[in-house]
Amino acid sequence: MATMVPKKVIVKKGYSLTLSGEPSATLQKASNPETVGVLPSEIPFIKPKALVKEGDAVHIGTPLFLDKHDPRVQFLSPAAGVVDRVVLGERRRLEEIVVRVAAEEKAVSFQKYEATAIATTPREQLVAALLERGVWPLLRERPFGRIPSPDVVPPSVYVSLDAEDAFLPQSQVVLDGNEAYLRAGIAALGVLTSGSVSVALHASSAILKTSLKDVVTHQISGDTTANSPEVFHYHAKQSAAENTAWTLGASEVIRLGESLLEGQYPVRQVITVSGIMTSSNGHFLTRVGAPVALFLKEASAARYVAGSVMTGRKVSHSGYLGLDEAALVALPEGREQQFLSFVQPGFDKYSFSKAFLSALLPKKAWTLPTTVNGSHRACIECGACVEVCPVDLLPQLILKQVEANDQEESIALGMLDCTACGLCTYVCPSKIEVADTITEAKNKVFKELRS
Ligand code: SF4
Ligand code: SF4
């Protein structure tokens, strides 16, 4: 059989910021947590309903809650033990379910699939298998990033195996030893879609020289942001018919495959722990829903961010990692508001706009505090957001239309292509929450479409 030559995808815009405290590539096995937590309120577009109450005994793979919009979509327990807490928030919205982990754990068993049988399994049967073993919620549908309906057949699927920033688990660590699961996951996605499954690696990836190279259909060139499955989809899709394609990363595909080959809800997960405010650093093999305290000793002046360093969620030391969150970063808490600090030149401040002398030292690894450097300011039309947007949007123009409540014009300007990468917010000298504003506007469109 002729070797497939990967297509080239060149992403011209983006930005790779070098920050201090990147995780090392070593993989350590984390100790078993005493408790695990699942966070229904952090999962977009679902209406969670608890299926357990405090004191219930659960196995690994027991359903903990479901989505009332589609009760077939269930979320399973990542541990066996006893339900310790069911936390309700405002209007009795389900916030968190905590399971106290038993010394000896049992798991719910499902049918095991042979690797060679997956590609010929009828679609309906495969959908049911992925739903029952709790991995359906790992799928994401463009353009809104929602968990797709089991009734929808996607026009295509886009998988990116590389991480979109240096603080997320790196592909060589995530893929190591998981090749069979990855291949099984890709085979399953091939059954689920009516089109093709495209798999990308960055052109510089060492994996292109390994036995896995035969699954790679595209090679990406560009800054690390280009590795995002959503950015890959934007640049590789062939027509508007693919606007509702599914997008996934390496970990998600591995877990799909593992659930089929092993006949269990897959709870193993590689995460990174990093940042200058922690002595823990590196990749950790842990489980879904791991507690923050398992990895980070309390540091008085730290802000813990779960997920991407650019777009992650602030999490407390007593919190848990969410379903999509594979990184924990400890950043210095920025306590002082530095009014108009972006116009005060100096070597110690990170600068995108070259307003600081620091722009002359591009190789320095910066320490990123969480301060916003001053109060809200108006857009000064500097164009920095345009320069970095990896999907070629004009974020400042979309922002204006969103603020003017002109949904039609925002969509005409490509708002739905936004991948929520957060780069526009990051580089904005006026510290406008561009990405959040656009994401909220997109979510509003989705809710209107659904109602
Ligand atoms: S958040 Fe959206 S608009 Fe902003 S840079 Fe990323 S893709 Fe572009
Ligand atoms: S980076 Fe900020 S100030 Fe500059 S154009 Fe974009 S929104 Fe306006």
Side-chain angles (χ1 to χ4, degrees):
M1 201 170 78
T3 314
M4 182 176 53
V5 180
K7 290 182 191 160
K8 291 196 182 339
V9 175
I10 299 168
V11 182
K12 293 187 177 142
K13 293 185 184 173
Y15 196 65
S16 290
L17 175 64
T18 310
L19 291 176
S20 306
E22 283 182 11
S24 72
T26 52
L27 180 66
Q28 303 160 57
K29 194 168 181 307
S31 54
N32 212 20
E34 287 177 13
T35 58
V36 294
V38 293
L39 310 172
S41 58
E42 295 299 327
I43 302 169
F45 307 122
I46 69 161
K47 202 169 178 190
K49 179 188 171 190
L51 297 171
V52 292
K53 56 184 187 319
E54 289 175 8
D56 282 356
V58 292
H59 290 345
I60 293 172
T62 299
L64 293 180
F65 65 98
L66 55 71
D67 178 11
K68 277 199 232 176
H69 293 304
D70 192 333
R72 292 172 294 177
V73 180
Q74 301 197 344
F75 300 79
L76 311 187
S77 177
V82 174
V83 176
D84 194 56
R85 288 196 306 277
V86 176
V87 181
L88 301 177
E90 269 180 40
R91 293 197 226 149
R92 298 189 56 75
R93 185 172 163 80
L94 184 59
E95 298 269 350
E96 185 180 81
I97 298 177
V98 175
V99 174
R100 184 155 296 281
V101 182
E104 284 189 25
E105 296 186 80
K106 288 188 179 153
V108 179
S109 294
F110 305 100
Q111 180 198 334
K112 285 187 185 180
Y113 283 76
E114 293 295 330
T116 50
I118 293 172
T120 53
T121 302
R123 185 179 190 279
E124 228 172 84
Q125 190 185 323
L126 202 59
V127 170
L130 298 176
L131 283 166
E132 73 175 352
R133 49 205 79 195
V135 289
W136 191 266
L138 299 175
L139 303 169
R140 287 291 180 276
E141 182 186 74
R142 291 298 291 156
F144 298 105
R146 72 158 182 168
I147 298 167
S149 160
D151 299 325
V152 168
V153 179
S156 49
V157 180
Y158 286 83
V159 175
S160 175
L161 300 181
D162 275 319
E164 60 201 79
D165 75 50
F167 285 75
L168 290 166
Q170 301 302 296
S171 52
Q172 69 272 21
V173 180
V174 173
L175 293 168
D176 190 27
N178 289 315
E179 185 173 327
Y181 296 147
L182 182 84
R183 288 180 187 277
I186 292 171
L189 292 168
V191 174
L192 296 177
T193 175
S194 60
S196 57
V197 180
S198 298
V199 181
L201 267 176
H202 197 272
S204 63
S205 172
I207 294 163
L208 286 168
K209 296 192 179 81
T210 70
S211 58
L212 263 178
K213 66 175 184 288
D214 64 308
V215 304
V216 178
T217 61
H218 291 71
Q219 267 184 37
I220 297 177
S221 300
D223 288 317
T224 49
T225 340
N227 295 329
S228 142
E230 292 76 24
V231 174
F232 168 42
H233 161 252
Y234 174 83
H235 288 279
K237 70 182 174 183
Q238 299 294 307
S239 71
E242 290 192 80
N243 284 347
T244 53
W246 293 356
T247 51
L248 293 92
S251 299
E252 290 74 34
V253 183
I254 287 168
R255 291 183 64 207
L256 289 185
E258 186 178 351
S259 77
L260 294 169
L261 297 186
E262 304 298 339
Q264 287 195 348
Y265 176 50
V267 299
R268 292 179 322 133
Q269 190 175 27
V270 174
I271 71 157
T272 52
V273 178
S274 58
I276 62 159
M277 296 303 285
T278 173
S279 53
S280 306
N281 179 291
H283 288 66
F284 288 84
L285 182 61
T286 182
R287 74 165 81 192
V288 174
V292 173
L294 192 64
F295 307 99
L296 298 175
K297 294 195 180 113
E298 189 77 69
S300 56
R303 174 181 289 199
Y304 305 127
V305 176
S308 154
V309 70
M310 298 291 291
T311 57
R313 169 180 68 95
K314 185 178 175 185
V315 62
S316 74
H317 190 257
S318 58
Y320 296 87
L321 286 170
L323 191 65
D324 285 343
E325 293 166 348
L328 259 181
V329 190
L331 299 171
E333 187 76 74
R335 294 192 186 282
E336 327 82 44
Q337 295 288 308
Q338 296 171 289
F339 182 61
L340 287 184
S341 62
F342 76 105
V343 293
Q344 296 169 7
F347 278 105
D348 293 333
K349 293 189 179 68
Y350 162 71
S351 169
F352 173 80
S353 64
K354 298 186 170 54
F356 302 134
L357 296 176
S358 59
L360 300 173
L361 302 171
K363 289 203 168 27
K364 177 167 175 172
W366 296 98
T367 301
L368 182 72
T370 55
T371 180
V372 296
N373 283 340
S375 55
H376 173 83
R377 295 177 283 274
C379 172
I380 55 170
E381 305 283 354
C382 69
C385 53
V386 181
E387 265 185 69
V388 296
C389 179
V391 292
D392 305 323
L393 299 179
L394 303 172
Q396 87 285 27
L397 294 190
I398 296 174
L399 190 71
K400 271 189 192 152
Q401 297 308 327
V402 168
E403 283 169 353
N405 224 358
D406 192 336
Q407 200 174 74
E408 216 171 296
E409 192 53 31
S410 314
I411 293 171
L413 285 167
M415 175 177 79
L416 299 185
D417 286 327
C418 172
T419 65
C421 71
L423 277 177
C424 48
T425 300
Y426 185 73
V427 300
C428 178
S430 291
K431 298 300 166 200
I432 300 169
E433 297 286 348
V434 190
D436 278 0
T437 308
I438 294 176
T439 300
E440 274 166 33
K442 274 183 71 174
N443 292 352
K444 201 171 153 203
V445 174
F446 176 77
K447 282 175 190 156
E448 285 175 18
L449 284 174
R450 183 156 70 181
S451 60

